[in-house]
Amino acid sequence: MAGGKGGSSGVSDRVAAVAAWPVQRIFGLLEYPLAAIQRSVGISRMPWIFLLPNLAFFGIFVVVPLFINFAFSFTGGTELFLGNRVYTGTEQYEFLLDCETFGDPTTCREDRFWKGLYNTAIFIFFQVTFLVLFSLITALILNREIRGRGFFRAVFFFPVLLSPVVVALIWKWVLLRDGILNAFLVSIGLDKILFFVSPEWSMFWAVFVSIWAHMGFYTLILLAGLQAIQPDLYEAAEMDGASKERVFWRITLPLLWPNMLVVIVLALIKGVQIFDEVFVLTGGGPGTATQFIVQYIYNTGFTEQVQNFGLASAASVVLGIILFVLTMTQLAATRARDNG
Amino acid sequence: MKYKIAKLLVASSLAATLMTSTALAETELRMMWYNDGNEGEVIQKIIDRFEAENPDISVVLDVVPYKSIIESLPIQLAAGEGPDIARVTDLGGLGKYYLDLKPLVEDSAYWEESFGPFLNWLAPDSDQISGFMTQLTVTGPYVNKTLFEQAGVEMPGEGATWDDWATATNAVAKKLDIPIPMAWDRSGHRVAGPAIAMGAKMFNAQGEPALVDDGLKKMSQRLYDWHQDGTMSKELWGSVSGSTYLGANEDFANAQVVMYMSGSWQIPQFADKIGDAFDWWAVPAPCGDAACTGMPGGAALVALKDTEHPKEVAKLMDFLAQEENLAEFYGETLFIPGHLKLATGGVDFATDDPRAKHALETFSGAVPGISPVAFDLQGYKNNRIMFNALISRLNEAIVGELTMDQAYERMEDDVAKQLAEKERN
């Protein structure tokens, strides 16, 4: 038996060596140029060389557009190229922020921007709260020794692999007047519900579908955090006779907090950016009940006959500031909590 | 030796192939196109003939969703990255990107005689020749005649008003338990015709856009009321936001709608989808206080000025615009001709379907009765600003987010804001 095991190990070692050969050859080719670069820039600067491709990608596709967007927000007209556009100063911002009462979007000149902001605030409040809660509960359950654990982990993660458009279309078919859910309601003697005609139902399903689609990803992050907690802490707590609730509040949650923070920040940012799923699912309706801020920006910049890139850019900058403030507040609160 | 000969043969055949292909098609033209029905197949057949006659020009038909024509094409054009030719519906709105074919076509007099009034739709501010109408459309309603017969309700006749139709369709729906008595495309263009019928003027005395007046209010109030009393389902208009277009063609084809306000472009689709499953019947535009009118409109094939091959583009446009080619195109697609001579009976429509024939006659027959206001509005290059403001704000009132008065104020403000933004250039 032992000999057999040794034999199989020998074969696998040889296979690994054969497989590694081309990889070594390829990386061997890189050795000479890299050595030359190291000689010219010095070893301490080599990390920058390795980061360069990613930095260039990030710079071209994120930083440069960010500055262009910022510049666009101070211009007006319908010309596409910055050089041809009319400088308007802070006019677009003044227009966006021109409100009699900020609590009532109908008193604002650009009412749809404010409706988009309020809708987004409502959406992220419910979506982030329940997303984190359900992800935590699911991660706690999947961390236990339950039957079919691997299967359930795959089941919860599967929606993450789907395109947001596919997710929205699937749920749209479920929720339409003649969809599966209404067929079920009729089969048990209830009336059909026109989900997409009701603002409340539309918002509910926008939140629900978003949680359904993304929960698996956040569950995975929390599961990784739970598995990193040393089992001997739980053993010690058990020996001390600590209750399950006390173990959760005193050991699990504090040690899981760094992962929770990642989940909350990511969920918050993704929540503010919500667009594609809801756009396909409800189209922003009924009326403007599920029109979120990103859809407002898209509509303003692209779907109207006058494509108002200046106003759309100004709204993007405002959105960026909101996201920055939210993230910083969250990080500051966490730092204060850790220090306290 | 054998190996060398084989290598030589492969190399020379490759070179020959490359040389032949470049010699055969020195110029490639790209045409952006969308389909309502079978028109892509029909135009491709005509393009194939053009390519056979002009082996030095190849034409690539890029078929895209209609949404791309509305949203992506303007950005491509603004960036100078557009196609050579495109099929568009924002006829005047994209006018600044059109190529003037006048000095390039063989016989500009033929173009002016054949497409006269429509050339102004494409270039309201000049006398240039930019392209031709691939279809002339007229908005108007279809009814499910079979449902009227089954319900024993008499169909309102010539001169019936919108109110008469609302009463009749409700009676049919009630008797037969049909969920939607009346459905309209969710489009400002569709609302404009009936609003003009009610007396809307759309422009003030100075010729500037003036969307909100008593005529428009009369029609808007009716649409609001019909959504509240169930004549129209909130599911269509209420279920999306902004100016998003939604049609009720599927619901009509599934006999869920008694009357469907849309337009002539649905004929080929209904002939294909509904066939003889029930009698789908085009009826004349219902009347208001001022007129009995729909809106004209249509799609045009236009040459774009950023093309690197203006001569070849003009050659292709000349070929496609030939009377016999357009007769074939309109005939096989069941589109109302946008060619003046063909419009007066020169097209043999390729259908035996009596419903399709009746619909074509109804819509073609409606053209002389279209209100001049409707023609002016269709020819106005910023009309989409007005259509979008109308449909989006009216919709917000229908779902209860605004009062009707607030909606009217917002409509006017939206139009003013967008026109001001456009004039900044």
PDB file of all heavy atoms in Angstrom, chain B residues 163 194-195 197-200 213-226 288-290 404 408:
ATOM      1  N   ASP B 163     -64.068  59.847 -27.369  1.00  0.00           N
ATOM      2  CA  ASP B 163     -65.002  59.473 -26.292  1.00  0.00           C
ATOM      3  C   ASP B 163     -65.915  58.328 -26.742  1.00  0.00           C
ATOM      4  O   ASP B 163     -66.215  57.418 -25.968  1.00  0.00           O
ATOM      5  CB  ASP B 163     -65.831  60.690 -25.870  1.00  0.00           C
ATOM      6  CG  ASP B 163     -64.962  61.762 -25.238  1.00  0.00           C
ATOM      7  OD1 ASP B 163     -63.893  61.408 -24.704  1.00  0.00           O
ATOM      8  OD2 ASP B 163     -65.333  62.944 -25.294  1.00  0.00           O
ATOM      9  N   PRO B 194     -53.778  62.858 -31.462  1.00  0.00           N
ATOM     10  CA  PRO B 194     -55.066  63.105 -30.805  1.00  0.00           C
ATOM     11  C   PRO B 194     -55.129  64.456 -30.096  1.00  0.00           C
ATOM     12  O   PRO B 194     -56.196  65.080 -30.049  1.00  0.00           O
ATOM     13  CB  PRO B 194     -55.163  61.954 -29.801  1.00  0.00           C
ATOM     14  CG  PRO B 194     -54.346  60.868 -30.412  1.00  0.00           C
ATOM     15  CD  PRO B 194     -53.226  61.549 -31.108  1.00  0.00           C
ATOM     16  N   ALA B 195     -53.990  64.922 -29.556  1.00  0.00           N
ATOM     17  CA  ALA B 195     -53.992  66.242 -28.907  1.00  0.00           C
ATOM     18  C   ALA B 195     -54.257  67.327 -29.950  1.00  0.00           C
ATOM     19  O   ALA B 195     -55.017  68.273 -29.694  1.00  0.00           O
ATOM     20  CB  ALA B 195     -52.651  66.484 -28.207  1.00  0.00           C
ATOM     21  N   ALA B 197     -55.897  66.824 -32.636  1.00  0.00           N
ATOM     22  CA  ALA B 197     -57.325  66.647 -32.967  1.00  0.00           C
ATOM     23  C   ALA B 197     -58.204  67.419 -31.981  1.00  0.00           C
ATOM     24  O   ALA B 197     -59.260  67.939 -32.342  1.00  0.00           O
ATOM     25  CB  ALA B 197     -57.685  65.166 -32.958  1.00  0.00           C
ATOM     26  N   MET B 198     -57.750  67.516 -30.744  1.00  0.00           N
ATOM     27  CA  MET B 198     -58.510  68.243 -29.718  1.00  0.00           C
ATOM     28  C   MET B 198     -58.289  69.754 -29.798  1.00  0.00           C
ATOM     29  O   MET B 198     -58.860  70.509 -29.038  1.00  0.00           O
ATOM     30  CB  MET B 198     -58.084  67.766 -28.317  1.00  0.00           C
ATOM     31  CG  MET B 198     -58.519  66.362 -27.999  1.00  0.00           C
ATOM     32  SD  MET B 198     -60.305  66.289 -27.759  1.00  0.00           S
ATOM     33  CE  MET B 198     -60.535  64.528 -27.596  1.00  0.00           C
ATOM     34  N   GLY B 199     -57.357  70.170 -30.670  1.00  0.00           N
ATOM     35  CA  GLY B 199     -57.144  71.609 -30.847  1.00  0.00           C
ATOM     36  C   GLY B 199     -55.773  72.093 -30.435  1.00  0.00           C
ATOM     37  O   GLY B 199     -55.530  73.305 -30.457  1.00  0.00           O
ATOM     38  N   ALA B 200     -54.872  71.185 -30.043  1.00  0.00           N
ATOM     39  CA  ALA B 200     -53.528  71.630 -29.647  1.00  0.00           C
ATOM     40  C   ALA B 200     -52.818  72.253 -30.847  1.00  0.00           C
ATOM     41  O   ALA B 200     -52.884  71.733 -31.957  1.00  0.00           O
ATOM     42  CB  ALA B 200     -52.717  70.449 -29.123  1.00  0.00           C
ATOM     43  N   ASP B 213     -51.394  73.792 -24.170  1.00  0.00           N
ATOM     44  CA  ASP B 213     -52.524  74.705 -24.399  1.00  0.00           C
ATOM     45  C   ASP B 213     -53.814  73.928 -24.110  1.00  0.00           C
ATOM     46  O   ASP B 213     -53.758  72.772 -23.653  1.00  0.00           O
ATOM     47  CB  ASP B 213     -52.498  75.295 -25.816  1.00  0.00           C
ATOM     48  CG  ASP B 213     -52.587  74.231 -26.903  1.00  0.00           C
ATOM     49  OD1 ASP B 213     -52.882  73.063 -26.580  1.00  0.00           O
ATOM     50  OD2 ASP B 213     -52.358  74.562 -28.082  1.00  0.00           O
ATOM     51  N   ASP B 214     -54.936  74.536 -24.376  1.00  0.00           N
ATOM     52  CA  ASP B 214     -56.202  73.889 -24.009  1.00  0.00           C
ATOM     53  C   ASP B 214     -56.405  72.565 -24.731  1.00  0.00           C
ATOM     54  O   ASP B 214     -56.934  71.613 -24.162  1.00  0.00           O
ATOM     55  CB  ASP B 214     -57.373  74.835 -24.315  1.00  0.00           C
ATOM     56  CG  ASP B 214     -57.431  75.974 -23.306  1.00  0.00           C
ATOM     57  OD1 ASP B 214     -56.773  75.837 -22.249  1.00  0.00           O
ATOM     58  OD2 ASP B 214     -58.096  76.987 -23.581  1.00  0.00           O
ATOM     59  N   GLY B 215     -55.995  72.527 -25.998  1.00  0.00           N
ATOM     60  CA  GLY B 215     -56.150  71.287 -26.776  1.00  0.00           C
ATOM     61  C   GLY B 215     -55.370  70.144 -26.159  1.00  0.00           C
ATOM     62  O   GLY B 215     -55.890  69.042 -25.970  1.00  0.00           O
ATOM     63  N   LEU B 216     -54.119  70.430 -25.824  1.00  0.00           N
ATOM     64  CA  LEU B 216     -53.293  69.377 -25.218  1.00  0.00           C
ATOM     65  C   LEU B 216     -53.861  68.966 -23.867  1.00  0.00           C
ATOM     66  O   LEU B 216     -53.898  67.782 -23.526  1.00  0.00           O
ATOM     67  CB  LEU B 216     -51.850  69.854 -25.058  1.00  0.00           C
ATOM     68  CG  LEU B 216     -50.953  68.742 -24.531  1.00  0.00           C
ATOM     69  CD1 LEU B 216     -49.891  68.375 -25.543  1.00  0.00           C
ATOM     70  CD2 LEU B 216     -50.307  69.095 -23.218  1.00  0.00           C
ATOM     71  N   LYS B 217     -54.347  69.954 -23.117  1.00  0.00           N
ATOM     72  CA  LYS B 217     -54.904  69.645 -21.797  1.00  0.00           C
ATOM     73  C   LYS B 217     -56.126  68.743 -21.919  1.00  0.00           C
ATOM     74  O   LYS B 217     -56.319  67.832 -21.115  1.00  0.00           O
ATOM     75  CB  LYS B 217     -55.268  70.940 -21.063  1.00  0.00           C
ATOM     76  CG  LYS B 217     -54.051  71.672 -20.502  1.00  0.00           C
ATOM     77  CD  LYS B 217     -54.479  72.903 -19.725  1.00  0.00           C
ATOM     78  CE  LYS B 217     -53.279  73.646 -19.174  1.00  0.00           C
ATOM     79  NZ  LYS B 217     -53.635  74.891 -18.498  1.00  0.00           N
ATOM     80  N   LYS B 218     -56.954  69.005 -22.942  1.00  0.00           N
ATOM     81  CA  LYS B 218     -58.163  68.185 -23.114  1.00  0.00           C
ATOM     82  C   LYS B 218     -57.798  66.717 -23.324  1.00  0.00           C
ATOM     83  O   LYS B 218     -58.398  65.816 -22.736  1.00  0.00           O
ATOM     84  CB  LYS B 218     -58.956  68.677 -24.336  1.00  0.00           C
ATOM     85  CG  LYS B 218     -59.880  69.830 -24.043  1.00  0.00           C
ATOM     86  CD  LYS B 218     -60.685  70.152 -25.287  1.00  0.00           C
ATOM     87  CE  LYS B 218     -61.338  71.519 -25.162  1.00  0.00           C
ATOM     88  NZ  LYS B 218     -61.899  71.991 -26.418  1.00  0.00           N
ATOM     89  N   MET B 219     -56.795  66.481 -24.184  1.00  0.00           N
ATOM     90  CA  MET B 219     -56.424  65.088 -24.458  1.00  0.00           C
ATOM     91  C   MET B 219     -55.712  64.473 -23.268  1.00  0.00           C
ATOM     92  O   MET B 219     -55.954  63.317 -22.903  1.00  0.00           O
ATOM     93  CB  MET B 219     -55.517  65.036 -25.700  1.00  0.00           C
ATOM     94  CG  MET B 219     -55.400  63.648 -26.298  1.00  0.00           C
ATOM     95  SD  MET B 219     -56.992  63.090 -26.952  1.00  0.00           S
ATOM     96  CE  MET B 219     -57.161  61.507 -26.167  1.00  0.00           C
ATOM     97  N   SER B 220     -54.835  65.260 -22.643  1.00  0.00           N
ATOM     98  CA  SER B 220     -54.083  64.737 -21.497  1.00  0.00           C
ATOM     99  C   SER B 220     -55.033  64.356 -20.365  1.00  0.00           C
ATOM    100  O   SER B 220     -54.858  63.323 -19.710  1.00  0.00           O
ATOM    101  CB  SER B 220     -53.096  65.792 -20.986  1.00  0.00           C
ATOM    102  OG  SER B 220     -52.213  66.139 -22.005  1.00  0.00           O
ATOM    103  N   GLN B 221     -56.048  65.210 -20.138  1.00  0.00           N
ATOM    104  CA  GLN B 221     -57.002  64.925 -19.066  1.00  0.00           C
ATOM    105  C   GLN B 221     -57.752  63.622 -19.356  1.00  0.00           C
ATOM    106  O   GLN B 221     -57.981  62.808 -18.456  1.00  0.00           O
ATOM    107  CB  GLN B 221     -57.992  66.092 -18.928  1.00  0.00           C
ATOM    108  CG  GLN B 221     -58.897  65.985 -17.712  1.00  0.00           C
ATOM    109  CD  GLN B 221     -58.128  66.002 -16.386  1.00  0.00           C
ATOM    110  OE1 GLN B 221     -57.284  66.863 -16.169  1.00  0.00           O
ATOM    111  NE2 GLN B 221     -58.387  65.019 -15.527  1.00  0.00           N
ATOM    112  N   ARG B 222     -58.092  63.418 -20.635  1.00  0.00           N
ATOM    113  CA  ARG B 222     -58.774  62.171 -21.000  1.00  0.00           C
ATOM    114  C   ARG B 222     -57.874  60.968 -20.709  1.00  0.00           C
ATOM    115  O   ARG B 222     -58.305  59.972 -20.142  1.00  0.00           O
ATOM    116  CB  ARG B 222     -59.154  62.186 -22.482  1.00  0.00           C
ATOM    117  CG  ARG B 222     -60.464  62.891 -22.741  1.00  0.00           C
ATOM    118  CD  ARG B 222     -60.757  62.974 -24.232  1.00  0.00           C
ATOM    119  NE  ARG B 222     -62.082  63.542 -24.466  1.00  0.00           N
ATOM    120  CZ  ARG B 222     -62.371  64.838 -24.351  1.00  0.00           C
ATOM    121  NH1 ARG B 222     -61.439  65.692 -23.978  1.00  0.00           N
ATOM    122  NH2 ARG B 222     -63.608  65.268 -24.590  1.00  0.00           N
ATOM    123  N   LEU B 223     -56.618  61.086 -21.112  1.00  0.00           N
ATOM    124  CA  LEU B 223     -55.695  59.964 -20.884  1.00  0.00           C
ATOM    125  C   LEU B 223     -55.536  59.688 -19.384  1.00  0.00           C
ATOM    126  O   LEU B 223     -55.482  58.530 -18.960  1.00  0.00           O
ATOM    127  CB  LEU B 223     -54.330  60.270 -21.515  1.00  0.00           C
ATOM    128  CG  LEU B 223     -54.320  60.171 -23.046  1.00  0.00           C
ATOM    129  CD1 LEU B 223     -53.095  60.859 -23.630  1.00  0.00           C
ATOM    130  CD2 LEU B 223     -54.365  58.723 -23.496  1.00  0.00           C
ATOM    131  N   TYR B 224     -55.493  60.774 -18.617  1.00  0.00           N
ATOM    132  CA  TYR B 224     -55.390  60.627 -17.160  1.00  0.00           C
ATOM    133  C   TYR B 224     -56.633  59.891 -16.635  1.00  0.00           C
ATOM    134  O   TYR B 224     -56.520  58.899 -15.898  1.00  0.00           O
ATOM    135  CB  TYR B 224     -55.272  62.009 -16.515  1.00  0.00           C
ATOM    136  CG  TYR B 224     -55.282  61.986 -15.004  1.00  0.00           C
ATOM    137  CD1 TYR B 224     -54.108  61.798 -14.292  1.00  0.00           C
ATOM    138  CD2 TYR B 224     -56.471  62.140 -14.295  1.00  0.00           C
ATOM    139  CE1 TYR B 224     -54.109  61.753 -12.914  1.00  0.00           C
ATOM    140  CE2 TYR B 224     -56.490  62.097 -12.912  1.00  0.00           C
ATOM    141  CZ  TYR B 224     -55.304  61.906 -12.218  1.00  0.00           C
ATOM    142  OH  TYR B 224     -55.321  61.852 -10.854  1.00  0.00           O
ATOM    143  N   ASP B 225     -57.806  60.368 -17.062  1.00  0.00           N
ATOM    144  CA  ASP B 225     -59.061  59.765 -16.580  1.00  0.00           C
ATOM    145  C   ASP B 225     -59.176  58.297 -17.011  1.00  0.00           C
ATOM    146  O   ASP B 225     -59.614  57.452 -16.241  1.00  0.00           O
ATOM    147  CB  ASP B 225     -60.263  60.556 -17.120  1.00  0.00           C
ATOM    148  CG  ASP B 225     -60.330  61.960 -16.532  1.00  0.00           C
ATOM    149  OD1 ASP B 225     -59.712  62.178 -15.472  1.00  0.00           O
ATOM    150  OD2 ASP B 225     -60.979  62.835 -17.144  1.00  0.00           O
ATOM    151  N   TRP B 226     -58.806  58.024 -18.243  1.00  0.00           N
ATOM    152  CA  TRP B 226     -58.909  56.641 -18.724  1.00  0.00           C
ATOM    153  C   TRP B 226     -58.010  55.691 -17.931  1.00  0.00           C
ATOM    154  O   TRP B 226     -58.330  54.526 -17.752  1.00  0.00           O
ATOM    155  CB  TRP B 226     -58.546  56.577 -20.210  1.00  0.00           C
ATOM    156  CG  TRP B 226     -59.570  57.210 -21.101  1.00  0.00           C
ATOM    157  CD1 TRP B 226     -60.885  57.462 -20.805  1.00  0.00           C
ATOM    158  CD2 TRP B 226     -59.375  57.696 -22.435  1.00  0.00           C
ATOM    159  NE1 TRP B 226     -61.510  58.072 -21.858  1.00  0.00           N
ATOM    160  CE2 TRP B 226     -60.611  58.225 -22.883  1.00  0.00           C
ATOM    161  CE3 TRP B 226     -58.297  57.744 -23.305  1.00  0.00           C
ATOM    162  CZ2 TRP B 226     -60.791  58.779 -24.144  1.00  0.00           C
ATOM    163  CZ3 TRP B 226     -58.460  58.292 -24.558  1.00  0.00           C
ATOM    164  CH2 TRP B 226     -59.696  58.810 -24.981  1.00  0.00           C
ATOM    165  N   GLY B 288     -61.476  64.818 -32.597  1.00  0.00           N
ATOM    166  CA  GLY B 288     -61.578  65.669 -31.417  1.00  0.00           C
ATOM    167  C   GLY B 288     -62.391  66.889 -31.802  1.00  0.00           C
ATOM    168  O   GLY B 288     -63.104  66.867 -32.802  1.00  0.00           O
ATOM    169  N   ASP B 289     -62.244  67.970 -31.042  1.00  0.00           N
ATOM    170  CA  ASP B 289     -63.013  69.179 -31.338  1.00  0.00           C
ATOM    171  C   ASP B 289     -62.524  69.875 -32.612  1.00  0.00           C
ATOM    172  O   ASP B 289     -63.263  70.605 -33.255  1.00  0.00           O
ATOM    173  CB  ASP B 289     -62.886  70.182 -30.179  1.00  0.00           C
ATOM    174  CG  ASP B 289     -63.431  69.575 -28.899  1.00  0.00           C
ATOM    175  OD1 ASP B 289     -64.182  68.581 -29.001  1.00  0.00           O
ATOM    176  OD2 ASP B 289     -63.099  70.084 -27.805  1.00  0.00           O
ATOM    177  N   ALA B 290     -61.239  69.676 -32.948  1.00  0.00           N
ATOM    178  CA  ALA B 290     -60.655  70.458 -34.041  1.00  0.00           C
ATOM    179  C   ALA B 290     -60.427  69.661 -35.317  1.00  0.00           C
ATOM    180  O   ALA B 290     -60.423  70.233 -36.404  1.00  0.00           O
ATOM    181  CB  ALA B 290     -59.331  71.060 -33.589  1.00  0.00           C
ATOM    182  N   MET B 404     -52.073  67.222 -12.359  1.00  0.00           N
ATOM    183  CA  MET B 404     -52.038  67.550 -13.783  1.00  0.00           C
ATOM    184  C   MET B 404     -51.450  68.949 -13.991  1.00  0.00           C
ATOM    185  O   MET B 404     -50.687  69.167 -14.937  1.00  0.00           O
ATOM    186  CB  MET B 404     -53.439  67.456 -14.397  1.00  0.00           C
ATOM    187  CG  MET B 404     -53.920  66.029 -14.613  1.00  0.00           C
ATOM    188  SD  MET B 404     -52.844  65.041 -15.675  1.00  0.00           S
ATOM    189  CE  MET B 404     -53.319  65.624 -17.288  1.00  0.00           C
ATOM    190  N   TYR B 408     -48.207  69.896 -16.268  1.00  0.00           N
ATOM    191  CA  TYR B 408     -48.144  70.868 -17.370  1.00  0.00           C
ATOM    192  C   TYR B 408     -46.983  71.845 -17.173  1.00  0.00           C
ATOM    193  O   TYR B 408     -46.267  72.171 -18.114  1.00  0.00           O
ATOM    194  CB  TYR B 408     -49.463  71.654 -17.474  1.00  0.00           C
ATOM    195  CG  TYR B 408     -50.666  70.790 -17.804  1.00  0.00           C
ATOM    196  CD1 TYR B 408     -51.880  70.964 -17.152  1.00  0.00           C
ATOM    197  CD2 TYR B 408     -50.588  69.808 -18.785  1.00  0.00           C
ATOM    198  CE1 TYR B 408     -52.981  70.178 -17.450  1.00  0.00           C
ATOM    199  CE2 TYR B 408     -51.694  69.017 -19.084  1.00  0.00           C
ATOM    200  CZ  TYR B 408     -52.887  69.209 -18.408  1.00  0.00           C
ATOM    201  OH  TYR B 408     -53.967  68.419 -18.704  1.00  0.00           O
TER     202      TYR B 408
END
